[in-house]
Amino acid sequence: MHYAIMSEDIPDSLEKRKAARSAHIDRLNKLASQDRLLVAGPHPAIDSSEPGEAGFSGSLVIAEFDSLDQAQAWADADPYVAAGIYQRVVVKPFKRVL
C-alpha cells in the first residue's frame, strides 16, 4: 500500500536542508530503485519552483510500504528528522486513484 509522508519544516530550515540533503536524497533513490516511490519533493516557501533563499516549508513523499508502522519507521529515520529540519511529520495511508 502507498503512504503519504507529509513533513513541515522549522522556520529558516534552508541551511540545515542543504547540509542533510545528500543523505535524504540517497534514501529516496533507494525507494525509487525498488520501484516503491510514487512521488517526492519539497514545498517551496513561496509561489515559485525555485524559491532561492526563501527555502522550503516542508516535503511530501508518497511511497509503498508493507504497513503504516513501516512507513512511520522509515519517516522517523529520515536524515531531515535527525538534523532537526522537520517540526512535524504526519504519515497516512494513501489510495492512488489516478
Side-chain angles (χ1 to χ4, degrees):
M1 178 165 193
H2 284 99
Y3 295 87
I5 302 168
M6 301 162 288
S7 307
E8 183 181 330
D9 283 21
I10 61 168
D12 302 315
S13 63
L14 186 58
E15 291 308 313
K16 286 185 174 187
R17 271 183 169 267
K18 288 177 181 178
R21 187 172 191 275
S22 179
H24 174 77
I25 295 296
D26 286 349
R27 293 179 81 235
L28 292 170
N29 281 329
K30 183 175 180 183
L31 284 178
S33 72
Q34 296 168 346
D35 201 30
R36 295 171 48 204
L37 184 64
L38 184 59
V39 66
H43 299 286
I46 61 173
D47 190 12
S48 173
S49 62
E50 297 296 331
E53 291 303 309
F56 302 93
S57 64
S59 299
L60 172 65
V61 174
I62 302 176
E64 187 177 345
F65 294 93
D66 289 336
S67 68
L68 178 58
D69 287 341
Q70 285 185 1
Q72 185 68 60
W74 188 90
D76 291 344
D78 194 304
Y80 281 3
V81 171
I85 294 162
Y86 293 151
Q87 65 183 350
R88 183 170 181 240
V89 177
V90 175
V91 181
K92 291 181 167 185
F94 177 82
K95 181 179 176 183
R96 183 176 180 183
V97 175
L98 298 175

